[in-house]
PDB file of all heavy atoms in Angstrom:
ATOM      1  N   ARG Y  64      40.158 106.556-204.801  1.00 93.00           N
ATOM      2  CA  ARG Y  64      41.576 106.390-205.179  1.00 93.00           C
ATOM      3  C   ARG Y  64      42.443 106.227-203.887  1.00 93.00           C
ATOM      4  O   ARG Y  64      43.284 105.364-203.770  1.00 93.00           O
ATOM      5  CB  ARG Y  64      42.088 107.374-206.149  1.00 93.00           C
ATOM      6  CG  ARG Y  64      43.460 107.085-206.732  1.00 93.00           C
ATOM      7  CD  ARG Y  64      43.751 108.072-207.820  1.00 93.00           C
ATOM      8  NE  ARG Y  64      43.016 107.844-209.037  1.00 93.00           N
ATOM      9  CZ  ARG Y  64      41.953 108.606-209.369  1.00 93.00           C
ATOM     10  NH1 ARG Y  64      41.616 109.695-208.669  1.00 93.00           N
ATOM     11  NH2 ARG Y  64      41.311 108.339-210.498  1.00 93.00           N
ATOM     12  N   ASP Y  65      42.204 107.180-203.019  1.00 92.00           N
ATOM     13  CA  ASP Y  65      42.971 107.212-201.741  1.00 92.00           C
ATOM     14  C   ASP Y  65      42.767 105.997-200.834  1.00 92.00           C
ATOM     15  O   ASP Y  65      43.654 105.355-200.241  1.00 92.00           O
ATOM     16  CB  ASP Y  65      42.673 108.538-200.935  1.00 92.00           C
ATOM     17  CG  ASP Y  65      43.161 109.779-201.608  1.00 92.00           C
ATOM     18  OD1 ASP Y  65      44.026 109.574-202.602  1.00 92.00           O
ATOM     19  OD2 ASP Y  65      42.629 110.924-201.261  1.00 92.00           O
ATOM     20  N   GLU Y  66      41.442 105.562-200.763  1.00 92.00           N
ATOM     21  CA  GLU Y  66      41.114 104.402-199.941  1.00 92.00           C
ATOM     22  C   GLU Y  66      41.647 103.152-200.560  1.00 92.00           C
ATOM     23  O   GLU Y  66      42.087 102.246-199.847  1.00 92.00           O
ATOM     24  CB  GLU Y  66      39.592 104.278-199.686  1.00 92.00           C
ATOM     25  CG  GLU Y  66      39.109 105.463-198.848  1.00 92.00           C
ATOM     26  CD  GLU Y  66      39.647 105.542-197.433  1.00 92.00           C
ATOM     27  OE1 GLU Y  66      40.004 104.433-196.877  1.00 92.00           O
ATOM     28  OE2 GLU Y  66      39.911 106.549-196.969  1.00 92.00           O
ATOM     29  N   ALA Y  67      41.653 103.069-201.902  1.00 91.00           N
ATOM     30  CA  ALA Y  67      42.168 101.927-202.454  1.00 91.00           C
ATOM     31  C   ALA Y  67      43.699 101.877-202.240  1.00 91.00           C
ATOM     32  O   ALA Y  67      44.254 100.658-202.016  1.00 91.00           O
ATOM     33  CB  ALA Y  67      41.983 102.023-204.117  1.00 91.00           C
ATOM     34  N   ALA Y  68      44.492 102.954-202.279  1.00 91.00           N
ATOM     35  CA  ALA Y  68      45.870 102.877-201.951  1.00 91.00           C
ATOM     36  C   ALA Y  68      46.129 102.463-200.534  1.00 91.00           C
ATOM     37  O   ALA Y  68      47.074 101.671-200.201  1.00 91.00           O
ATOM     38  CB  ALA Y  68      46.433 104.274-202.256  1.00 91.00           C
ATOM     39  N   ALA Y  69      45.275 102.845-199.551  1.00 90.00           N
ATOM     40  CA  ALA Y  69      45.420 102.484-198.187  1.00 90.00           C
ATOM     41  C   ALA Y  69      45.107 101.016-197.938  1.00 90.00           C
ATOM     42  O   ALA Y  69      45.551 100.390-196.898  1.00 90.00           O
ATOM     43  CB  ALA Y  69      44.497 103.443-197.322  1.00 90.00           C
ATOM     44  N   MET Y  70      44.309 100.453-198.867  1.00 88.00           N
ATOM     45  CA  MET Y  70      43.992  98.901-198.688  1.00 88.00           C
ATOM     46  C   MET Y  70      45.070  98.031-199.098  1.00 88.00           C
ATOM     47  O   MET Y  70      44.880  96.825-199.119  1.00 88.00           O
ATOM     48  CB  MET Y  70      42.633  98.625-199.388  1.00 88.00           C
ATOM     49  CG  MET Y  70      41.486  99.324-198.769  1.00 88.00           C
ATOM     50  SD  MET Y  70      41.084  98.346-197.271  1.00 88.00           S
ATOM     51  CE  MET Y  70      40.601  96.763-198.084  1.00 88.00           C
ATOM     52  N   ALA Y  71      46.174  98.529-199.733  1.00 88.00           N
ATOM     53  CA  ALA Y  71      47.139  97.686-200.293  1.00 88.00           C
ATOM     54  C   ALA Y  71      47.728  96.507-199.409  1.00 88.00           C
ATOM     55  O   ALA Y  71      47.813  95.422-199.907  1.00 88.00           O
ATOM     56  CB  ALA Y  71      48.426  98.572-200.805  1.00 88.00           C
ATOM     57  N   PRO Y  72      47.896  96.788-198.085  1.00 87.00           N
ATOM     58  CA  PRO Y  72      48.456  95.676-197.309  1.00 87.00           C
ATOM     59  C   PRO Y  72      47.462  94.537-197.168  1.00 87.00           C
ATOM     60  O   PRO Y  72      47.816  93.437-197.223  1.00 87.00           O
ATOM     61  CB  PRO Y  72      48.679  96.351-195.880  1.00 87.00           C
ATOM     62  CG  PRO Y  72      48.896  97.836-196.218  1.00 87.00           C
ATOM     63  CD  PRO Y  72      48.023  98.066-197.435  1.00 87.00           C
ATOM     64  N   ILE Y  73      46.069  94.839-196.996  1.00 85.00           N
ATOM     65  CA  ILE Y  73      45.053  93.836-196.857  1.00 85.00           C
ATOM     66  C   ILE Y  73      44.982  93.097-198.228  1.00 85.00           C
ATOM     67  O   ILE Y  73      44.826  91.944-198.243  1.00 85.00           O
ATOM     68  CB  ILE Y  73      43.758  94.466-196.426  1.00 85.00           C
ATOM     69  CG1 ILE Y  73      43.922  95.080-195.065  1.00 85.00           C
ATOM     70  CG2 ILE Y  73      42.648  93.440-196.396  1.00 85.00           C
ATOM     71  CD1 ILE Y  73      42.637  95.891-194.519  1.00 85.00           C
ATOM     72  N   LEU Y  74      44.998  93.890-199.299  1.00 88.00           N
ATOM     73  CA  LEU Y  74      44.921  93.157-200.601  1.00 88.00           C
ATOM     74  C   LEU Y  74      46.015  92.176-200.856  1.00 88.00           C
ATOM     75  O   LEU Y  74      45.820  91.125-201.352  1.00 88.00           O
ATOM     76  CB  LEU Y  74      44.824  94.257-201.737  1.00 88.00           C
ATOM     77  CG  LEU Y  74      43.699  95.252-201.773  1.00 88.00           C
ATOM     78  CD1 LEU Y  74      43.919  96.391-202.772  1.00 88.00           C
ATOM     79  CD2 LEU Y  74      42.479  94.503-202.142  1.00 88.00           C
ATOM     80  N   ALA Y  75      47.220  92.643-200.448  1.00 87.00           N
ATOM     81  CA  ALA Y  75      48.356  91.761-200.653  1.00 87.00           C
ATOM     82  C   ALA Y  75      48.333  90.516-199.698  1.00 87.00           C
ATOM     83  O   ALA Y  75      48.543  89.411-200.113  1.00 87.00           O
ATOM     84  CB  ALA Y  75      49.689  92.513-200.334  1.00 87.00           C
ATOM     85  N   ASP Y  76      47.687  90.690-198.477  1.00 85.00           N
ATOM     86  CA  ASP Y  76      47.706  89.537-197.583  1.00 85.00           C
ATOM     87  C   ASP Y  76      46.702  88.572-198.032  1.00 85.00           C
ATOM     88  O   ASP Y  76      46.830  87.328-197.927  1.00 85.00           O
ATOM     89  CB  ASP Y  76      47.187  90.169-196.198  1.00 85.00           C
ATOM     90  CG  ASP Y  76      47.157  88.977-195.161  1.00 85.00           C
ATOM     91  OD1 ASP Y  76      48.209  88.363-194.933  1.00 85.00           O
ATOM     92  OD2 ASP Y  76      46.072  88.757-194.538  1.00 85.00           O
ATOM     93  N   ARG Y  77      45.569  89.015-198.669  1.00 85.00           N
ATOM     94  CA  ARG Y  77      44.670  87.997-199.291  1.00 85.00           C
ATOM     95  C   ARG Y  77      44.824  87.731-200.686  1.00 85.00           C
ATOM     96  O   ARG Y  77      44.054  86.965-201.302  1.00 85.00           O
ATOM     97  CB  ARG Y  77      43.178  88.625-199.099  1.00 85.00           C
ATOM     98  CG  ARG Y  77      42.718  88.825-197.594  1.00 85.00           C
ATOM     99  CD  ARG Y  77      42.653  87.518-196.886  1.00 85.00           C
ATOM    100  NE  ARG Y  77      41.624  86.722-197.564  1.00 85.00           N
ATOM    101  CZ  ARG Y  77      40.304  86.685-197.324  1.00 85.00           C
ATOM    102  NH1 ARG Y  77      39.773  87.577-196.468  1.00 85.00           N
ATOM    103  NH2 ARG Y  77      39.539  85.907-198.001  1.00 85.00           N
ATOM    104  N   ASN Y  78      45.844  88.284-201.379  1.00 89.00           N
ATOM    105  CA  ASN Y  78      46.169  88.050-202.755  1.00 89.00           C
ATOM    106  C   ASN Y  78      44.971  88.414-203.643  1.00 89.00           C
ATOM    107  O   ASN Y  78      44.651  87.587-204.499  1.00 89.00           O
ATOM    108  CB  ASN Y  78      46.490  86.558-202.894  1.00 89.00           C
ATOM    109  CG  ASN Y  78      47.185  86.391-204.351  1.00 89.00           C
ATOM    110  OD1 ASN Y  78      47.801  87.305-204.912  1.00 89.00           O
ATOM    111  ND2 ASN Y  78      47.044  85.102-204.819  1.00 89.00           N
ATOM    112  N   VAL Y  79      44.421  89.576-203.342  1.00 90.00           N
ATOM    113  CA  VAL Y  79      43.213  89.957-204.092  1.00 90.00           C
ATOM    114  C   VAL Y  79      43.646  91.089-205.004  1.00 90.00           C
ATOM    115  O   VAL Y  79      44.405  92.081-204.697  1.00 90.00           O
ATOM    116  CB  VAL Y  79      42.163  90.492-203.102  1.00 90.00           C
ATOM    117  CG1 VAL Y  79      41.001  91.122-203.859  1.00 90.00           C
ATOM    118  CG2 VAL Y  79      41.636  89.438-202.286  1.00 90.00           C
ATOM    119  N   ASN Y  80      43.092  90.967-206.249  1.00 92.00           N
ATOM    120  CA  ASN Y  80      43.355  92.047-207.264  1.00 92.00           C
ATOM    121  C   ASN Y  80      42.221  93.046-207.192  1.00 92.00           C
ATOM    122  O   ASN Y  80      41.062  92.698-207.204  1.00 92.00           O
ATOM    123  CB  ASN Y  80      43.381  91.414-208.626  1.00 92.00           C
ATOM    124  CG  ASN Y  80      43.607  92.426-209.726  1.00 92.00           C
ATOM    125  OD1 ASN Y  80      44.453  93.256-209.634  1.00 92.00           O
ATOM    126  ND2 ASN Y  80      42.802  92.414-210.758  1.00 92.00           N
ATOM    127  N   LEU Y  81      42.659  94.337-207.172  1.00 92.00           N
ATOM    128  CA  LEU Y  81      41.708  95.479-207.081  1.00 92.00           C
ATOM    129  C   LEU Y  81      41.664  96.140-208.428  1.00 92.00           C
ATOM    130  O   LEU Y  81      42.619  96.752-208.992  1.00 92.00           O
ATOM    131  CB  LEU Y  81      42.016  96.442-206.018  1.00 92.00           C
ATOM    132  CG  LEU Y  81      41.083  97.670-205.866  1.00 92.00           C
ATOM    133  CD1 LEU Y  81      39.772  97.193-205.515  1.00 92.00           C
ATOM    134  CD2 LEU Y  81      41.559  98.656-204.718  1.00 92.00           C
ATOM    135  N   ALA Y  82      40.456  96.127-209.087  1.00 93.00           N
ATOM    136  CA  ALA Y  82      40.290  96.863-210.336  1.00 93.00           C
ATOM    137  C   ALA Y  82      39.472  98.117-210.162  1.00 93.00           C
ATOM    138  O   ALA Y  82      38.386  98.113-209.508  1.00 93.00           O
ATOM    139  CB  ALA Y  82      39.447  95.863-211.334  1.00 93.00           C
ATOM    140  N   LEU Y  83      40.036  99.157-210.559  1.00 94.00           N
ATOM    141  CA  LEU Y  83      39.531 100.557-210.448  1.00 94.00           C
ATOM    142  C   LEU Y  83      38.894 101.049-211.778  1.00 94.00           C
ATOM    143  O   LEU Y  83      39.429 100.931-212.745  1.00 94.00           O
ATOM    144  CB  LEU Y  83      40.545 101.514-209.931  1.00 94.00           C
ATOM    145  CG  LEU Y  83      41.264 101.252-208.632  1.00 94.00           C
ATOM    146  CD1 LEU Y  83      42.280 102.332-208.241  1.00 94.00           C
ATOM    147  CD2 LEU Y  83      40.176 101.172-207.427  1.00 94.00           C
ATOM    148  N   GLU Y  84      37.709 101.518-211.649  1.00 94.00           N
ATOM    149  CA  GLU Y  84      36.863 102.198-212.714  1.00 94.00           C
ATOM    150  C   GLU Y  84      36.442 103.594-212.162  1.00 94.00           C
ATOM    151  O   GLU Y  84      35.268 103.684-211.745  1.00 94.00           O
ATOM    152  CB  GLU Y  84      35.878 101.392-213.288  1.00 94.00           C
ATOM    153  CG  GLU Y  84      36.278 100.028-213.728  1.00 94.00           C
ATOM    154  CD  GLU Y  84      35.090  99.103-214.126  1.00 94.00           C
ATOM    155  OE1 GLU Y  84      33.972  99.563-214.138  1.00 94.00           O
ATOM    156  OE2 GLU Y  84      35.440  97.879-214.553  1.00 94.00           O
ATOM    157  N   LEU Y  85      37.217 104.561-212.236  1.00 94.00           N
ATOM    158  CA  LEU Y  85      36.890 105.853-211.566  1.00 94.00           C
ATOM    159  C   LEU Y  85      36.841 106.948-212.586  1.00 94.00           C
ATOM    160  O   LEU Y  85      37.729 107.085-213.385  1.00 94.00           O
ATOM    161  CB  LEU Y  85      38.004 106.186-210.572  1.00 94.00           C
ATOM    162  CG  LEU Y  85      38.402 105.150-209.555  1.00 94.00           C
ATOM    163  CD1 LEU Y  85      39.429 105.612-208.501  1.00 94.00           C
ATOM    164  CD2 LEU Y  85      37.146 104.715-208.728  1.00 94.00           C
ATOM    165  N   THR Y  86      35.660 107.526-212.634  1.00 94.00           N
ATOM    166  CA  THR Y  86      35.399 108.766-213.375  1.00 94.00           C
ATOM    167  C   THR Y  86      35.097 109.951-212.550  1.00 94.00           C
ATOM    168  O   THR Y  86      34.562 109.713-211.375  1.00 94.00           O
ATOM    169  CB  THR Y  86      34.285 108.559-214.521  1.00 94.00           C
ATOM    170  OG1 THR Y  86      33.108 108.216-213.748  1.00 94.00           O
ATOM    171  CG2 THR Y  86      34.700 107.476-215.415  1.00 94.00           C
ATOM    172  N   PRO Y  87      35.344 111.133-212.925  1.00 94.00           N
ATOM    173  CA  PRO Y  87      35.036 112.361-211.941  1.00 94.00           C
ATOM    174  C   PRO Y  87      33.659 112.445-211.676  1.00 94.00           C
ATOM    175  O   PRO Y  87      32.714 112.385-212.429  1.00 94.00           O
ATOM    176  CB  PRO Y  87      35.382 113.507-212.843  1.00 94.00           C
ATOM    177  CG  PRO Y  87      36.412 113.005-213.878  1.00 94.00           C
ATOM    178  CD  PRO Y  87      36.012 111.555-214.132  1.00 94.00           C
ATOM    179  N   ALA Y  88      33.401 112.482-210.272  1.00 94.00           N
ATOM    180  CA  ALA Y  88      32.064 112.631-209.707  1.00 94.00           C
ATOM    181  C   ALA Y  88      32.073 113.291-208.379  1.00 94.00           C
ATOM    182  O   ALA Y  88      32.935 113.030-207.500  1.00 94.00           O
ATOM    183  CB  ALA Y  88      31.414 111.158-209.627  1.00 94.00           C
ATOM    184  N   THR Y  89      31.193 114.170-208.158  1.00 93.00           N
ATOM    185  CA  THR Y  89      31.175 114.968-206.893  1.00 93.00           C
ATOM    186  C   THR Y  89      29.930 114.756-206.180  1.00 93.00           C
ATOM    187  O   THR Y  89      28.814 114.989-206.787  1.00 93.00           O
ATOM    188  CB  THR Y  89      31.352 116.452-207.210  1.00 93.00           C
ATOM    189  OG1 THR Y  89      32.615 116.734-207.879  1.00 93.00           O
ATOM    190  CG2 THR Y  89      31.322 117.358-205.864  1.00 93.00           C
ATOM    191  N   ALA Y  90      29.964 114.321-204.920  1.00 93.00           N
ATOM    192  CA  ALA Y  90      28.771 114.199-204.075  1.00 93.00           C
ATOM    193  C   ALA Y  90      28.601 115.559-203.369  1.00 93.00           C
ATOM    194  O   ALA Y  90      29.429 116.036-202.853  1.00 93.00           O
ATOM    195  CB  ALA Y  90      28.999 113.027-203.106  1.00 93.00           C
ATOM    196  N   ALA Y  91      27.280 115.980-203.406  1.00 91.00           N
ATOM    197  CA  ALA Y  91      26.883 117.068-202.647  1.00 91.00           C
ATOM    198  C   ALA Y  91      25.374 117.116-202.399  1.00 91.00           C
ATOM    199  O   ALA Y  91      24.577 116.790-203.215  1.00 91.00           O
ATOM    200  CB  ALA Y  91      27.284 118.310-203.563  1.00 91.00           C
ATOM    201  N   PRO Y  92      25.112 117.527-201.131  1.00 89.00           N
ATOM    202  CA  PRO Y  92      25.959 117.779-199.984  1.00 89.00           C
ATOM    203  C   PRO Y  92      26.621 116.679-199.471  1.00 89.00           C
ATOM    204  O   PRO Y  92      26.069 115.533-199.445  1.00 89.00           O
ATOM    205  CB  PRO Y  92      25.018 118.587-199.009  1.00 89.00           C
ATOM    206  CG  PRO Y  92      23.755 117.880-199.283  1.00 89.00           C
ATOM    207  CD  PRO Y  92      23.643 117.674-200.773  1.00 89.00           C
ATOM    208  N   ALA Y  93      27.858 116.716-198.921  1.00 91.00           N
ATOM    209  CA  ALA Y  93      28.510 115.518-198.471  1.00 91.00           C
ATOM    210  C   ALA Y  93      29.593 115.876-197.493  1.00 91.00           C
ATOM    211  O   ALA Y  93      30.101 116.982-197.370  1.00 91.00           O
ATOM    212  CB  ALA Y  93      29.236 114.898-199.688  1.00 91.00           C
ATOM    213  N   ASP Y  94      29.856 114.847-196.626  1.00 91.00           N
ATOM    214  CA  ASP Y  94      30.929 114.916-195.661  1.00 91.00           C
ATOM    215  C   ASP Y  94      31.994 113.934-196.087  1.00 91.00           C
ATOM    216  O   ASP Y  94      31.824 112.684-196.184  1.00 91.00           O
ATOM    217  CB  ASP Y  94      30.470 114.428-194.248  1.00 91.00           C
ATOM    218  CG  ASP Y  94      31.533 114.611-193.168  1.00 91.00           C
ATOM    219  OD1 ASP Y  94      32.579 113.890-193.315  1.00 91.00           O
ATOM    220  OD2 ASP Y  94      31.342 115.296-192.153  1.00 91.00           O
ATOM    221  N   ALA Y  95      33.177 114.510-196.513  1.00 91.00           N
ATOM    222  CA  ALA Y  95      34.189 113.619-197.112  1.00 91.00           C
ATOM    223  C   ALA Y  95      34.719 112.579-196.277  1.00 91.00           C
ATOM    224  O   ALA Y  95      34.984 111.445-196.691  1.00 91.00           O
ATOM    225  CB  ALA Y  95      35.371 114.564-197.615  1.00 91.00           C
ATOM    226  N   GLY Y  96      34.868 112.907-194.951  1.00 89.00           N
ATOM    227  CA  GLY Y  96      35.274 111.872-194.046  1.00 89.00           C
ATOM    228  C   GLY Y  96      34.434 110.683-193.903  1.00 89.00           C
ATOM    229  O   GLY Y  96      34.809 109.499-193.876  1.00 89.00           O
ATOM    230  N   GLU Y  97      33.133 110.964-193.863  1.00 90.00           N
ATOM    231  CA  GLU Y  97      32.146 109.944-193.760  1.00 90.00           C
ATOM    232  C   GLU Y  97      32.004 109.016-195.000  1.00 90.00           C
ATOM    233  O   GLU Y  97      31.919 107.820-194.990  1.00 90.00           O
ATOM    234  CB  GLU Y  97      30.701 110.441-193.321  1.00 90.00           C
ATOM    235  CG  GLU Y  97      30.568 111.017-192.043  1.00 90.00           C
ATOM    236  CD  GLU Y  97      29.201 111.427-191.772  1.00 90.00           C
ATOM    237  OE1 GLU Y  97      28.255 111.363-192.596  1.00 90.00           O
ATOM    238  OE2 GLU Y  97      28.879 111.882-190.585  1.00 90.00           O
ATOM    239  N   LEU Y  98      32.195 109.743-196.187  1.00 93.00           N
ATOM    240  CA  LEU Y  98      32.203 108.954-197.473  1.00 93.00           C
ATOM    241  C   LEU Y  98      33.375 108.124-197.613  1.00 93.00           C
ATOM    242  O   LEU Y  98      33.340 107.007-198.179  1.00 93.00           O
ATOM    243  CB  LEU Y  98      31.949 109.945-198.641  1.00 93.00           C
ATOM    244  CG  LEU Y  98      30.614 110.616-198.745  1.00 93.00           C
ATOM    245  CD1 LEU Y  98      30.484 111.427-200.007  1.00 93.00           C
ATOM    246  CD2 LEU Y  98      29.408 109.533-198.620  1.00 93.00           C
TER     247      LEU Y  98
END
């Protein structure tokens, strides 16, 4: 969700529609910055 919000300028520049289908999911073990 955070990365999708940060992509807003590029999406607007290319006139691309972003469809989100997000359900709760936890990756472990994981590095949040790398993912």
Side-chain angles (χ1 to χ4, degrees):
R64 189 172 289 104
D65 292 343
E66 292 302 323
M70 286 287 295
I73 298 178
L74 294 170
D76 184 59
R77 296 293 303 273
N78 193 28
V79 172
N80 177 50
L81 179 60
L83 299 179
E84 300 173 4
L85 307 179
T86 57
T89 300
D94 182 301
E97 290 186 357
L98 293 185

